[in-house]
Amino acid sequence: MEEEVVGGQGKNPSLIPIGRLTSKRMCVCCCLKLYEFCLSVSGIFANEFNVLRSPESVIFHQGSWPIPGERIPDLAALSMGFSVEEDLSWPGLAVGDLFRRPRATVLVTVIGIDKLTLPEHGISYPIENAIPFNLDGVANAIHTLFSEETPVVVQLAPSEERVYMVGKANSVFEDLSVTLRQLRNRLFQDNSILASLPLNSLSRNNEVDLLFLSELQVLHDITSLLSRHKHLAKDHSPDLYSLELSGLEEIGKRYGEDSQQFKDASQILADSLQKFADEMYNLYGGNAVVEVVTVKTYDTPFVRKSRSILESSQTIPGDQYNLGYSYNFNYAVVFNIILWIMIGLIIAVIVISYNLWNMDPGYDSIIYRMTNQKIRMD
């Protein structure tokens, strides 16, 4: 019996050799491991960073280089001509015209889908390790460097009722619907997108569908308000628009990602985003960057720190160790400017003083022409 099992040459044909059985198990295990690895890799690089519109001064190379999710704000800052704390060694963005930077950057984040069917003339890059991000650093840099020109800075998340506006945006977009109640009322007005947008399988009576449509209404209202204030797109200060849309994610949870409602909503969103990109690009005279980030799910949850205006002030104890304050990334630039100006002034003073001290009194210059002739003879 032992010979039949080991050798596989016995009389009972139903017995399988141990060596062959072990090799089959190893093959199955290797296939499972390879399948898990492929799923993990596809999950890491499933999300996309799309460039719908960009001027000639900002060069994006065609390729499939993955961009880290945490460096997307740095990419937006570099495309606008701002410096970043850490160098971005990503070959997708090239150095363009340093003296002609884009007047606006529009970044739309779509949550709930890893890829949208966008036009072929756009450029797409995979996102590596998609984590929540924001453009607060870029907004603060714009507000600090162009505070006197009051640029437009708009950051919206309609589904979460999160709004942040700086500069002229407070007056221009004051009529923009930002809360859920305002968005619902805006949809049922006469000039809303419901009158011209084909809903297909979506319904006006479902709250989830209305949330998705209200985000599209925000895109339409931004271009409408900006078209009535075209002078904002012609000034010299850069503008920033950051929008976060999560209505498609709610539709996927409500109907399922294989449902007709989710497919129709994805196509409607892709068409609306392309129309929004074209309108923003034309309003800024072809000098705007429009980008779309599609994220299925974030790897880590996003927690935004907030502070109430009614929060009581707390007394901060003094620094008992007498530590110096922390410098920002502009310190090195300002320090070098001041240092070399001082060195140049010092050298200029030394050279001028030396030449004045060793000047020949008999030299026929304009200084000694105006003096007494007797002094010159002496």
Side-chain angles (χ1 to χ4, degrees), residues 76-356:
L78 290 174
S79 63
M80 298 184 71
F82 298 135
S83 59
V84 295
E85 297 183 1
E86 184 180 356
D87 293 338
L88 179 61
S89 57
W90 184 64
L93 180 64
V95 179
D97 190 357
L98 299 178
F99 301 99
R100 187 175 180 267
R101 307 311 300 170
R103 290 201 300 263
T105 294
V106 183
L107 179 61
V108 182
T109 303
V110 179
I111 303 176
I113 191 171
D114 52 2
K115 182 178 181 180
L116 286 173
T117 306
L118 296 172
E120 297 180 356
H121 59 76
I123 303 176
S124 301
Y125 305 97
I127 299 178
E128 180 182 2
N129 298 328
I131 63 174
F133 65 90
N134 57 70
L135 301 183
D136 293 344
V138 183
N140 294 333
I142 294 176
H143 182 62
T144 302
L145 299 176
F146 300 92
S147 58
E148 298 181 356
E149 302 181 15
T150 59
V152 176
V153 177
V154 179
Q155 292 181 274
L156 295 177
S159 60
E160 300 180 5
E161 298 185 353
R162 190 171 67 246
V163 184
Y164 177 73
M165 298 184 184
V166 176
K168 294 180 181 179
N170 293 326
S171 58
V172 174
F173 297 102
E174 60 182 358
D175 298 331
L176 187 66
S177 301
V178 291
T179 64
L180 295 179
R181 183 183 297 273
Q182 293 175 352
L183 291 172
R184 181 181 177 85
N185 296 333
R186 177 69 181 89
L187 281 176
F188 292 97
Q189 295 179 2
D190 296 335
N191 56 349
S192 67
I193 61 174
L194 295 180
S196 59
L197 188 66
L199 300 182
N200 297 333
S201 60
L202 300 180
S203 174
R204 300 185 181 186
N205 301 322
N206 195 305
E207 294 294 334
V208 177
D209 298 355
L210 291 178
L211 174 62
F212 169 75
L213 295 173
S214 64
E215 294 179 343
L216 303 183
Q217 183 66 51
V218 172
L219 300 180
H220 175 74
D221 291 343
I222 288 176
T223 55
S224 299
L225 292 173
L226 193 59
S227 61
R228 294 200 297 265
H229 301 82
K230 294 183 179 180
H231 63 280
L232 298 177
K234 298 180 181 180
D235 56 7
H236 299 286
S237 60
D239 300 334
L240 177 65
Y241 301 87
S242 177
L243 308 175
E244 182 178 322
L245 309 181
S246 59
L248 187 62
E249 181 185 20
E250 298 299 329
I251 288 183
K253 294 179 180 179
R254 174 66 175 82
Y255 301 105
E257 297 182 0
D258 297 330
S259 63
Q260 188 63 36
Q261 289 86 349
F262 185 82
K263 295 179 181 178
D264 292 341
S266 301
Q267 187 61 42
I268 293 174
L269 179 59
D271 297 339
S272 300
L273 287 176
Q274 185 59 48
K275 180 181 178 182
F276 175 72
D278 296 338
E279 292 178 353
M280 294 294 291
Y281 184 79
N282 294 329
L283 285 172
Y284 280 91
N287 197 10
V289 179
V290 184
E291 303 161 338
V292 175
V293 175
T294 55
V295 178
K296 180 69 174 179
T297 54
Y298 285 120
D299 296 338
T300 57
F302 180 53
V303 179
R304 179 180 289 269
K305 296 181 179 179
S306 60
R307 179 179 178 181
S308 175
I309 58 176
L310 301 178
E311 183 180 357
S312 61
S313 60
Q314 299 179 356
T315 304
I316 302 176
D319 190 0
Q320 54 181 341
Y321 298 106
N322 194 23
L323 299 178
Y325 61 90
S326 58
Y327 300 104
N328 58 3
F329 61 93
N330 290 325
Y331 174 79
V333 178
V334 177
F335 177 80
N336 278 274
I337 291 175
I338 297 176
L339 174 64
W340 293 108
I341 288 178
M342 292 178 61
I343 292 176
L345 291 176
I346 292 173
I347 294 175
V349 170
I350 293 175
V351 172
I352 294 173
S353 301
Y354 177 81
N355 291 330
L356 289 176

Side-chain angles (χ1 to χ4, degrees), residues 52-90:
L52 300 186
R53 286 287 191 171
S54 62
E56 296 180 355
S57 59
V58 181
I59 302 173
F60 286 95
H61 293 306
Q62 188 75 34
S64 58
W65 305 286
I67 177 173
E70 67 275 6
R71 302 305 305 273
I72 293 179
D74 294 338
L75 178 61
L78 290 174
S79 63
M80 298 184 71
F82 298 135
S83 59
V84 295
E85 297 183 1
E86 184 180 356
D87 293 338
L88 179 61
S89 57
W90 184 64

